[in-house]
Amino acid sequence: MKVRYLLHLYEQGTRDFSGADLCGADLRGVTLIGVNLTGANLRGANLSRAFLTKSDLSGAQLNWANLSFAKMSEAKLVETELTKANFSGAFMVKSKLPGAKLSGANLNGANLRRANLWGANVSAADLQRTNLRDTNLSGVNFNWANLSEARLVGAKLYGASLNGVNLSKAFLKEVDLGGADLEGVNLREAKLNHANLEGTNLTRANLSEAHLFGANLKGADLTGANLTKASLEQANLTWAILKKADLSGANLSEARLNGIDFEDMELGGAILPESNERFLYLAM
């Protein structure tokens, strides 16, 4: 379909463009609010700064499409093909993307607050500085994705796959990651205040300079983890495994350390609870 003809039909009141072939089309800055583009072929199309509010692109082909800075609040992209698509700076508040395929996509700086990405595949995607506050991320495949400085406060991450993910400087206050597999994950300088990490696998994770004030790390496996200069004030580390962990310079004031085995870990310069005597007593 020719772009000029599509825009003419839109101006005449047509909203159903399902199945349209717009492969490689130049649709920069167009207004297509509330349109039906389900099953459309938009591979490689340029939709940068387009207005697609409340539009339905479910099942569409948008691989390699450019949607940078597009306005897509409340848009539907259910099981849409979005591999290597560019959503940098896109406004996607309350958008619906269950089952969407976003592998390798660029979502740098996109706003997905209160969106639904249940079961989506965003493996190896760029999500730096992405706003994912209050977003449903249950069952999402984040393997090897870059979530550095992403905002995840209030996000639902139940069953999400996080192998090799980069969460450095991410905002994860009060997030529930209890029982998650975060082995080797980069959480350097992450904001995890009051987060639930009970029973979480944090083996060899990088938590250096992380903010873990009041965090629940009860029973967490921190074997070989890097916790240098981490803020662990009032954190619950009861029965946590800290074998070969490095807590050099960490702040453990008022932390709960019952059941901890303090052998074979680095504590140089760490701030201990109340006093060394209290600390050793808890270690027994």
Side-chain angles (χ1 to χ4, degrees):
M1 178 181 285
K2 298 290 185 180
V3 173
R4 186 177 298 177
Y5 182 54
L6 177 146
L7 295 177
H8 171 73
L9 290 175
Y10 180 82
E11 289 173 3
Q12 297 300 311
T14 301
R15 295 294 181 267
D16 187 359
F17 301 102
S18 56
D21 187 356
L22 293 159
C23 182
D26 186 352
L27 292 158
R28 286 175 291 179
V30 298
T31 297
L32 292 169
I33 295 171
V35 297
N36 179 6
L37 283 162
T38 58
N41 180 4
L42 287 153
R43 289 173 181 251
N46 189 346
L47 287 148
S48 61
R49 300 186 185 278
F51 291 81
L52 293 159
T53 304
K54 295 184 179 180
S55 293
D56 191 348
L57 294 109
S58 298
Q61 304 287 322
L62 282 153
N63 302 28
W64 303 287
N66 182 1
L67 292 133
S68 58
F69 299 100
K71 303 297 185 291
M72 303 182 71
S73 58
E74 299 183 61
K76 291 177 66 176
L77 297 108
V78 181
E79 297 187 0
T80 303
E81 294 282 348
L82 299 160
T83 302
K84 299 287 181 71
N86 180 5
F87 285 95
S88 59
F91 188 81
M92 304 174 74
V93 172
K94 297 183 182 179
S95 55
K96 300 172 180 65
L97 297 103
K101 300 169 181 65
L102 286 149
S103 178
N106 180 2
L107 290 144
N108 193 320
N111 189 344
L112 284 147
R113 184 168 185 172
R114 298 179 65 185
N116 182 3
L117 281 87
W118 181 87
N121 181 4
V122 293
S123 58
D126 183 359
L127 292 135
Q128 294 182 76
R129 294 177 291 279
T130 302
N131 186 350
L132 294 162
R133 290 176 63 96
D134 304 312
T135 300
N136 184 358
L137 302 168
S138 301
V140 172
N141 178 0
F142 281 111
N143 293 344
W144 308 107
N146 187 354
L147 284 147
S148 178
E149 297 184 67
R151 296 181 179 274
L152 291 140
V153 177
K156 298 177 179 67
L157 287 153
Y158 179 78
S161 182
L162 296 156
N163 297 327
V165 71
N166 179 5
L167 284 160
S168 61
K169 298 183 180 180
F171 295 81
L172 293 152
K173 181 181 178 182
E174 299 178 2
V175 165
D176 187 358
L177 286 163
D181 185 359
L182 296 172
E183 180 177 355
V185 165
N186 182 3
L187 286 154
R188 181 179 60 83
E189 296 183 58
K191 282 70 174 176
L192 287 150
N193 295 337
H194 301 289
N196 179 27
L197 296 158
E198 183 171 353
T200 301
N201 179 10
L202 289 157
T203 304
R204 294 186 297 280
N206 182 0
L207 287 151
S208 59
E209 300 183 65
H211 301 261
L212 290 151
F213 181 92
N216 180 10
L217 289 148
K218 185 177 180 180
D221 189 346
L222 290 149
T223 301
N226 180 359
L227 288 149
T228 56
K229 298 182 180 179
S231 300
L232 288 152
E233 301 98 314
Q234 297 183 28
N236 184 357
L237 286 149
T238 303
W239 300 109
I241 302 169
L242 289 156
K243 185 177 181 180
K244 295 184 179 179
D246 189 349
L247 288 104
S248 301
N251 188 345
L252 291 150
S253 59
E254 299 184 63
R256 296 173 63 183
L257 303 168
N258 305 71
I260 298 294
D261 182 355
F262 294 102
E263 293 185 9
D264 200 20
M265 73 169 73
E266 180 60 53
L267 288 163
I271 299 173
L272 311 180
E274 295 186 11
S275 69
N276 288 350
E277 291 77 19
R278 165 75 170 159
F279 186 76
L280 292 172
Y281 171 74
L282 289 170
M284 295 176 62

mmCIF file of all heavy atoms in Angstrom, residues 84-104:
data_model
loop_
_atom_site.group_PDB
_atom_site.id
_atom_site.type_symbol
_atom_site.label_atom_id
_atom_site.label_comp_id
_atom_site.label_asym_id
_atom_site.label_seq_id
_atom_site.Cartn_x
_atom_site.Cartn_y
_atom_site.Cartn_z
ATOM 1 N N LYS A 84 15.055 -6.483 16.738
ATOM 2 C CA LYS A 84 15.973 -5.418 16.318
ATOM 3 C C LYS A 84 15.261 -4.091 16.010
ATOM 4 O O LYS A 84 15.822 -3.205 15.374
ATOM 5 C CB LYS A 84 16.786 -5.853 15.095
ATOM 6 C CG LYS A 84 17.662 -7.081 15.302
ATOM 7 C CD LYS A 84 18.873 -6.771 16.158
ATOM 8 C CE LYS A 84 19.768 -7.984 16.355
ATOM 9 N NZ LYS A 84 20.491 -8.374 15.144
ATOM 10 N N ALA A 85 14.022 -3.932 16.464
ATOM 11 C CA ALA A 85 13.321 -2.656 16.256
ATOM 12 C C ALA A 85 13.911 -1.575 17.152
ATOM 13 O O ALA A 85 14.479 -1.854 18.207
ATOM 14 C CB ALA A 85 11.828 -2.823 16.549
ATOM 15 N N ASN A 86 13.764 -0.320 16.733
ATOM 16 C CA ASN A 86 14.304 0.811 17.484
ATOM 17 C C ASN A 86 13.163 1.581 18.149
ATOM 18 O O ASN A 86 12.376 2.245 17.477
ATOM 19 C CB ASN A 86 15.085 1.735 16.551
ATOM 20 C CG ASN A 86 15.685 2.929 17.269
ATOM 21 O OD1 ASN A 86 15.606 3.036 18.500
ATOM 22 N ND2 ASN A 86 16.278 3.846 16.524
ATOM 23 N N PHE A 87 13.076 1.460 19.481
ATOM 24 C CA PHE A 87 12.067 2.164 20.263
ATOM 25 C C PHE A 87 12.705 3.218 21.163
ATOM 26 O O PHE A 87 12.105 3.640 22.144
ATOM 27 C CB PHE A 87 11.289 1.184 21.143
ATOM 28 C CG PHE A 87 10.281 0.327 20.426
ATOM 29 C CD1 PHE A 87 10.617 -0.947 19.991
ATOM 30 C CD2 PHE A 87 9.007 0.802 20.174
ATOM 31 C CE1 PHE A 87 9.687 -1.744 19.340
ATOM 32 C CE2 PHE A 87 8.067 0.017 19.525
ATOM 33 C CZ PHE A 87 8.411 -1.266 19.096
ATOM 34 N N SER A 88 13.898 3.643 20.861
ATOM 35 C CA SER A 88 14.586 4.590 21.743
ATOM 36 C C SER A 88 13.751 5.853 21.924
ATOM 37 O O SER A 88 13.274 6.445 20.965
ATOM 38 C CB SER A 88 15.971 4.942 21.183
ATOM 39 O OG SER A 88 15.865 5.517 19.898
ATOM 40 N N GLY A 89 13.527 6.231 23.181
ATOM 41 C CA GLY A 89 12.780 7.441 23.491
ATOM 42 C C GLY A 89 11.285 7.351 23.226
ATOM 43 O O GLY A 89 10.576 8.355 23.353
ATOM 44 N N ALA A 90 10.783 6.156 22.887
ATOM 45 C CA ALA A 90 9.355 6.018 22.587
ATOM 46 C C ALA A 90 8.515 6.161 23.854
ATOM 47 O O ALA A 90 8.944 5.803 24.949
ATOM 48 C CB ALA A 90 9.083 4.666 21.935
ATOM 49 N N PHE A 91 7.295 6.687 23.688
ATOM 50 C CA PHE A 91 6.364 6.871 24.805
ATOM 51 C C PHE A 91 5.322 5.767 24.703
ATOM 52 O O PHE A 91 4.448 5.793 23.830
ATOM 53 C CB PHE A 91 5.705 8.250 24.723
ATOM 54 C CG PHE A 91 4.877 8.590 25.932
ATOM 55 C CD1 PHE A 91 5.478 9.065 27.089
ATOM 56 C CD2 PHE A 91 3.497 8.437 25.918
ATOM 57 C CE1 PHE A 91 4.717 9.384 28.210
ATOM 58 C CE2 PHE A 91 2.726 8.753 27.025
ATOM 59 C CZ PHE A 91 3.341 9.227 28.179
ATOM 60 N N MET A 92 5.427 4.763 25.610
ATOM 61 C CA MET A 92 4.616 3.555 25.508
ATOM 62 C C MET A 92 3.894 3.248 26.824
ATOM 63 O O MET A 92 3.692 2.101 27.191
ATOM 64 C CB MET A 92 5.501 2.379 25.098
ATOM 65 C CG MET A 92 6.258 2.621 23.800
ATOM 66 S SD MET A 92 7.430 1.317 23.391
ATOM 67 C CE MET A 92 6.313 0.024 22.864
ATOM 68 N N VAL A 93 3.487 4.278 27.527
ATOM 69 C CA VAL A 93 2.792 4.112 28.805
ATOM 70 C C VAL A 93 1.507 3.307 28.599
ATOM 71 O O VAL A 93 0.737 3.568 27.667
ATOM 72 C CB VAL A 93 2.477 5.488 29.429
ATOM 73 C CG1 VAL A 93 1.581 5.338 30.651
ATOM 74 C CG2 VAL A 93 3.761 6.214 29.787
ATOM 75 N N LYS A 94 1.305 2.305 29.441
ATOM 76 C CA LYS A 94 0.119 1.432 29.422
ATOM 77 C C LYS A 94 -0.022 0.638 28.122
ATOM 78 O O LYS A 94 -1.102 0.148 27.788
ATOM 79 C CB LYS A 94 -1.165 2.231 29.668
ATOM 80 C CG LYS A 94 -1.239 2.897 31.029
ATOM 81 C CD LYS A 94 -2.577 3.603 31.194
ATOM 82 C CE LYS A 94 -2.677 4.324 32.531
ATOM 83 N NZ LYS A 94 -3.977 5.024 32.687
ATOM 84 N N SER A 95 1.049 0.494 27.369
ATOM 85 C CA SER A 95 0.983 -0.309 26.154
ATOM 86 C C SER A 95 0.931 -1.792 26.510
ATOM 87 O O SER A 95 1.354 -2.204 27.585
ATOM 88 C CB SER A 95 2.179 -0.022 25.248
ATOM 89 O OG SER A 95 3.393 -0.224 25.949
ATOM 90 N N LYS A 96 0.405 -2.590 25.608
ATOM 91 C CA LYS A 96 0.220 -4.020 25.854
ATOM 92 C C LYS A 96 1.096 -4.810 24.876
ATOM 93 O O LYS A 96 0.855 -4.789 23.665
ATOM 94 C CB LYS A 96 -1.248 -4.390 25.695
ATOM 95 C CG LYS A 96 -2.176 -3.646 26.653
ATOM 96 C CD LYS A 96 -3.634 -3.914 26.328
ATOM 97 C CE LYS A 96 -4.560 -3.159 27.289
ATOM 98 N NZ LYS A 96 -4.429 -1.678 27.135
ATOM 99 N N LEU A 97 2.103 -5.526 25.452
ATOM 100 C CA LEU A 97 3.037 -6.281 24.624
ATOM 101 C C LEU A 97 3.196 -7.742 25.068
ATOM 102 O O LEU A 97 4.291 -8.306 24.959
ATOM 103 C CB LEU A 97 4.412 -5.602 24.625
ATOM 104 C CG LEU A 97 4.509 -4.195 24.046
ATOM 105 C CD1 LEU A 97 4.604 -3.151 25.143
ATOM 106 C CD2 LEU A 97 5.708 -4.073 23.121
ATOM 107 N N PRO A 98 2.148 -8.406 25.545
ATOM 108 C CA PRO A 98 2.307 -9.814 25.951
ATOM 109 C C PRO A 98 2.806 -10.664 24.779
ATOM 110 O O PRO A 98 2.270 -10.586 23.672
ATOM 111 C CB PRO A 98 0.891 -10.232 26.349
ATOM 112 C CG PRO A 98 0.206 -8.962 26.711
ATOM 113 C CD PRO A 98 0.762 -7.941 25.764
ATOM 114 N N GLY A 99 3.849 -11.444 25.046
ATOM 115 C CA GLY A 99 4.364 -12.341 24.024
ATOM 116 C C GLY A 99 5.097 -11.664 22.882
ATOM 117 O O GLY A 99 5.460 -12.314 21.895
ATOM 118 N N ALA A 100 5.341 -10.362 22.981
ATOM 119 C CA ALA A 100 6.045 -9.658 21.901
ATOM 120 C C ALA A 100 7.490 -10.152 21.799
ATOM 121 O O ALA A 100 8.106 -10.523 22.785
ATOM 122 C CB ALA A 100 6.021 -8.155 22.147
ATOM 123 N N LYS A 101 8.015 -10.136 20.579
ATOM 124 C CA LYS A 101 9.379 -10.593 20.324
ATOM 125 C C LYS A 101 10.264 -9.380 20.098
ATOM 126 O O LYS A 101 10.282 -8.806 19.017
ATOM 127 C CB LYS A 101 9.386 -11.549 19.138
ATOM 128 C CG LYS A 101 8.511 -12.790 19.373
ATOM 129 C CD LYS A 101 8.319 -13.595 18.109
ATOM 130 C CE LYS A 101 7.432 -14.808 18.366
ATOM 131 N NZ LYS A 101 6.052 -14.435 18.745
ATOM 132 N N LEU A 102 11.002 -9.007 21.162
ATOM 133 C CA LEU A 102 11.817 -7.796 21.156
ATOM 134 C C LEU A 102 13.305 -8.104 21.265
ATOM 135 O O LEU A 102 14.088 -7.281 21.705
ATOM 136 C CB LEU A 102 11.397 -6.897 22.317
ATOM 137 C CG LEU A 102 10.060 -6.160 22.168
ATOM 138 C CD1 LEU A 102 9.398 -5.954 23.515
ATOM 139 C CD2 LEU A 102 10.276 -4.823 21.470
ATOM 140 N N SER A 103 13.699 -9.291 20.846
ATOM 141 C CA SER A 103 15.103 -9.681 20.959
ATOM 142 C C SER A 103 15.998 -8.701 20.199
ATOM 143 O O SER A 103 15.754 -8.387 19.028
ATOM 144 C CB SER A 103 15.282 -11.099 20.394
ATOM 145 O OG SER A 103 16.636 -11.490 20.455
ATOM 146 N N GLY A 104 17.008 -8.186 20.889
ATOM 147 C CA GLY A 104 17.945 -7.263 20.262
ATOM 148 C C GLY A 104 17.389 -5.881 19.980
ATOM 149 O O GLY A 104 18.030 -5.068 19.306
#
